[in-house]
Each structure stands twice: as structure tokens, then as C-alpha cells.
Amino acid sequence: MTYTYLLLAIFLLPEANGLAAKRGIAYNNNNPSGNAVYANLFKGHTKVSWAYDWGYPSWNLDSSFEFVPMLWGLPSGADPDWTAAVQTPGTVNILGFNEPDLTYDASSNIIPEKAAAGYLTYMQPFAGTVRIGSPSVLWNNVGSSSGGSYNTATWTEYFLGNCTGCHLDFAAIHYYQDCVTPDGQNGAVWFEGNVTNAHDVLGLPIWITEFECYGSEQQQIAFLEQALPWLDSQGYVERYAYFGAFPQYLINADGTALSDLGSSYASI
Ligand SMILES: *[C@@H]1O[C@H](CO)[C@@H](O)[C@H](O)[C@H]1NC(C)=O
Ligand SMILES: *[C@@H]1O[C@H](CO)[C@@H](O)[C@H](O)[C@H]1NC(C)=O
């Protein structure tokens, strides 16, 4: 292969130059088919390359997507199923606890010290074999967090402070807020500010594993039209997943096709 062809090959191989599609799908199997049917509606949309379901297994996720297993919360003991999920061929990246910083019913609600101990037990053994994400935290939470009256940035600082020897390849964050700011701007400016801030503070590549703006479908599409090109052009943003592959979100109300929002997410 001549040098020119080698260069050409590098430019054409998305993984080789970091241009692999960053866009992903958050889904679950809570639907009449009991599988990844909603995520699979994105098959063939080349801007979507990966998916996760807040856990494992993938429930028949189409093989055109990279499945990223998540250890949602703190196991009560040895967890051979998690080990098997991480060691499943094709696993390249893994995600840890989901919203451990928050204390509402469906959060994993873990104090920083225990979350760090959990990472050393259940994530660290896989360092170097797969890429490890930090816990998915609600970065724009300025209220209290699990363990105390401190915000999510502080929860994360405590987590990192306790996680001595933890190897992290990227940081995972969430963001939820209105589509339009009080002064009438597209809320993408807030979102972009928070993503930039997470990178500045944490110094790791960023995955936004959940984000959503609250507003009408048209307002959400306007938000995505501003936010997605921005995300795609930030070198430190590796991946993101807009919430989520559910009817009346990225899927239509009948659960049979992408909604207008989903079509926009797949094509912008
Ligand atoms: C460890 O986490 C606890 C809260 O769980 C916190 O009070 C403490 O300051 C943290 N330690 C470090 C070194 O960050
Ligand atoms: C993060 O988002 C909040 C809205 O939840 C906003 O008030 C704040 O200004 C944003 N932060 C940055 C650094 O842009």
C-alpha cells in the first residue's frame, strides 16, 4: 500500500480518525415485544452507532449497533453476570452507576465513598480490557446529592477523591432542562455550557448518556438542530444519547416508527 493509499484508508475509516458516529440510543425492553424493538427502529441510520439499556443484556439489539453494558447500581455481592456481560465479545466500553448522586426513587442513590469502593470492586478489574466510564451523574443538578447537601459537581469530586487508583477512560453526565431559557434563547446554550464545564472540571472525554430539553416537539427539534452539530464538532465529546427510545419521545405514540423528533435525531 502506498503512502497515499494508507492516508486515504485512514481518512475513510471512521474509527481511525475519531469520526465514528457519536450518536446513541438509550432504550429498554419495557414494551410489548420485550426486546430492543424501539432501538432497532434506528437501524440503517448511519449517524447512530451505539446503544445502551441501563443494564444488560441487550435484548436483541441489532448487531449494527455497539451495545454498551451498564452496571446500574451497587451489587450486593459477587456479580458473575456483570463479569460475563463485560466479557461478551464485542464489548468495548462499559458504563457504571446510573445517577448515584440523586436520591429519588429510581436513582441508584449511592454516597461517594461507597460508589468509589464499588468501582474498585466491579469496574477497575476490567481496566485496559474495555474502556471505563465514570458514574452517570446529573451534571446540572445544583441541589443536594446522595450523602449530603452538596451539588453533583461536589458529589463527583468526592467520588474521584475516594476512588484511589481508579482508571477512568471517559466521564458520563446527564443534563435535563427547559428548551428555552427565560430570556428566550434556545436552551442549547445552557447545555453546551454544562458539557464544556464538565470537561473543564473532569479533564476526561465526555459522554452525555442522557439529555433532554423540556418543551414541545418543535422546541426539542430546534434544540437538537443547535446542540447536535455542536456536539459533533467538539473533539472531547465522544458520545451522546438523547432521551430516549420510547413512545412519545424518539418513537411515535403507536411504537411503530420514529417520531418527528426521532427522525430529526437520526438525521440532523
Ligand atoms: C470521600 O467521600 C466522602 C463522602 O462519601 C467525603 O466526605 C470525603 O471528603 C471524600 N474523600 C475524599 C478524599 O474526597
Ligand atoms: C448549566 O445549566 C443550567 C440550567 O440547568 C444553567 O443555569 C447554567 O448556566 C449552565 N451552566 C453553564 C456553565 O453554562
Side-chain angles (χ1 to χ4, degrees):
M1 196 188 272
T2 68
Y3 183 63
T4 313
Y5 281 116
L6 183 65
L7 269 184
L8 200 62
I10 287 170
F11 280 114
L12 293 175
L13 267 178
E15 304 78 23
N17 60 10
L19 291 179
K22 301 179 182 187
R23 213 163 290 177
I25 301 296
Y27 70 99
N28 63 26
N29 70 335
N30 184 14
N31 57 62
S33 315
N35 65 28
V37 59
Y38 294 153
N40 290 343
L41 289 171
F42 286 90
K43 184 181 177 175
H45 291 280
T46 56
K47 292 195 170 181
V48 178
S49 72
W50 69 282
Y52 82 104
D53 61 5
W54 288 277
Y56 56 87
S58 77
W59 306 108
N60 294 332
L61 180 70
D62 190 83
S63 61
S64 58
F65 302 112
E66 179 198 325
F67 176 67
V68 180
M70 170 187 269
L71 185 66
W72 184 87
L74 201 52
S76 52
D79 195 345
D81 291 346
W82 168 244
T83 301
V86 178
Q87 292 175 342
T88 299
T91 304
V92 180
N93 297 285
I94 60 174
L95 292 165
F97 308 137
N98 190 65
E99 299 193 338
D101 53 318
L102 302 184
T103 55
Y104 70 100
D105 280 353
S107 68
S108 65
N109 188 4
I110 312 170
I111 66 166
E113 215 175 338
K114 288 199 169 149
Y119 255 63
L120 284 165
T121 304
Y122 298 103
M123 305 292 281
Q124 183 62 22
F126 305 110
T129 65
V130 292
R131 297 177 72 252
I132 300 175
S134 68
S136 289
V137 295
L138 183 61
W139 193 256
N140 65 317
N141 165 39
V142 291
S144 63
S145 297
S146 179
S149 55
Y150 42 73
N151 65 17
T152 285
T154 301
W155 186 98
T156 306
E157 183 192 319
Y158 288 161
F159 167 79
L160 294 171
N162 280 274
C163 219
T164 312
C166 286
H167 176 89
L168 297 171
D169 294 286
F170 59 92
I173 62 165
H174 291 175
Y175 175 90
Y176 287 89
Q177 191 47 272
D178 296 341
C179 294
V180 179
T181 67
D183 62 356
Q185 290 190 72
N186 188 326
V189 294
W190 280 345
F191 171 66
E192 293 167 13
N194 278 267
V195 174
T196 305
N197 174 257
H199 178 249
D200 289 348
V201 171
L202 303 172
L204 288 166
I206 301 292
W207 288 32
I208 305 99
T209 46
E210 289 179 30
F211 69 115
E212 184 194 347
C213 79
Y214 304 129
S216 68
E217 188 165 49
Q218 280 319 307
Q219 287 174 322
Q220 292 187 62
I221 291 171
F223 171 90
L224 291 178
E225 281 170 345
Q226 187 169 330
L228 299 189
W230 182 84
L231 289 169
D232 287 339
S233 67
Q234 303 309 304
Y236 62 81
V237 173
E238 285 188 355
R239 289 192 171 175
Y240 55 83
Y242 194 72
F243 188 88
F246 306 106
Q248 293 177 313
Y249 287 81
L250 297 175
I251 307 301
N252 68 8
D254 296 339
T256 53
L258 302 186
S259 60
D260 287 348
L261 181 63
S263 297
S264 298
Y265 183 63
S267 62
I268 287 168

